[in-house]
Every structure is written in structure tokens, then in C-alpha cells.
């Protein structure tokens, strides 16, 4: 099966701590629904708000996100799915869409996950 990264976009500063309990539950349910939709959730990460970002371009380091935008990447998850159609079906059901954000789906070219040190 192919792997697909699903990037979650939300209004800046995209602070996961601002989600209501109902919104959090919707995201949890979505993760639990992925197998029934034909995919496998491999990993998922919510990102800290853009106010915590540090960007580097060349030899210049600045506080804040890489781009100044109304919407920013708020999180990412990687799924396995038999094809792009299944991945798109899973992604379009992500609750962030109903919460005013959007998603971007991209096939994964390569990668790995390293266990955290001491874990």
C-alpha cells in the first residue's frame, strides 16, 4: 500500500490548545474511523502554534513561521491506503474541514521514524 501525508491547515496561529472538547473528540473519532475507510493511520502530530516557530532561510534565523499567511500547517498525519482515491476520501472527512480549515494530501516519497532518545 502507498503512504500519504495529510497536512492539516488552520487559521493562524493554529493553537491545538484552543480546540473545544467536542472538536478534540471529532479528531479522535476521525483517527479511529480510518481503518473502516480502508486506510491505516501510521503516525499523527499536532503542531504547537505558529507563535512558537523559528524559521531559517539561508543563514538568517527569525522568530515566527516561514511564511506569513492566514492559514498555516497545524498538524500532519501519515496513512497507508490502497490508492489516492481512498486517501482523498479519508482526508476529506477530517474534521478540520468543518472547523474552517483544510487539508492537503501528498504521496510520501520516503522517510523513517526514529524512536525518541530515552524512549
Amino acid at each position: 500500500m502507498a503512504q500519504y501525508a495529510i497536512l492539516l491547515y488552520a487559521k493562524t496561529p493554529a493553537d491545538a490548545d484552543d480546540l473545544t472538547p467536542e472538536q478534540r473528540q471529532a479528531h479522535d473519532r476521525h483517527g479511529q474511523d480510518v481503518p473502516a475507510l480502508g486506510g491505516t493511520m501510521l503516525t499523527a502530530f499536532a503542531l504547537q502554534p505558529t507563535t512558537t516557530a523559528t524559521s531559517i532561510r539561508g543563514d538568517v534565523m527569525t522568530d515566527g513561521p516561514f511564511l506569513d499567511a492566514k492559514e498555516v500547517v497545524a498538524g500532519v498525519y501519515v496513512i497507508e491506503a490502497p490508492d489516492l482515491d481512498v486517501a482523498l476520501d479519508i482526508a476529506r472527512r477530517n474534521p478540520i474541514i468543518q472547523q474552517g480549515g483544510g487539508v492537503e494530501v501528498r504521496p510520501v516519497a520516503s522517510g523513517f521514524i526514529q524512536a525518541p532518545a530515552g524512549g
Side-chain angles (χ1 to χ4, degrees):
M1 282 212 264
Q3 294 182 353
Y4 298 90
I6 301 174
L7 289 79
L8 307 179
Y9 288 86
K11 292 180 183 172
T12 190
D15 191 343
D17 289 340
D18 290 342
L19 292 175
T20 67
E22 294 79 18
Q23 289 171 323
R24 286 183 188 282
Q25 289 172 355
H27 283 280
D28 290 343
R29 277 192 307 276
H30 176 69
Q32 294 166 1
D33 290 345
V34 168
L37 297 170
T40 302
M41 180 85 65
L42 300 179
T43 190
F45 300 96
L47 302 177
Q48 292 288 326
T50 57
T51 55
T52 66
T54 302
S55 300
I56 303 169
R57 185 184 301 249
D59 60 355
V60 177
M61 189 177 307
T62 58
D63 291 337
F66 194 71
L67 297 175
D68 185 23
K70 292 180 182 179
E71 289 188 332
V72 295
V73 177
V76 62
Y77 60 107
V78 178
I79 62 169
E80 276 189 336
D83 56 44
L84 180 59
D85 290 336
V86 171
L88 292 172
D89 185 49
I90 291 168
R92 75 176 180 80
R93 296 169 188 260
N94 191 289
I96 203 161
I97 294 170
Q98 287 76 39
Q99 296 166 1
V103 298
E104 178 181 336
V105 179
R106 285 197 214 171
V108 172
S110 65
F112 69 93
I113 297 175
Q114 175 71 33

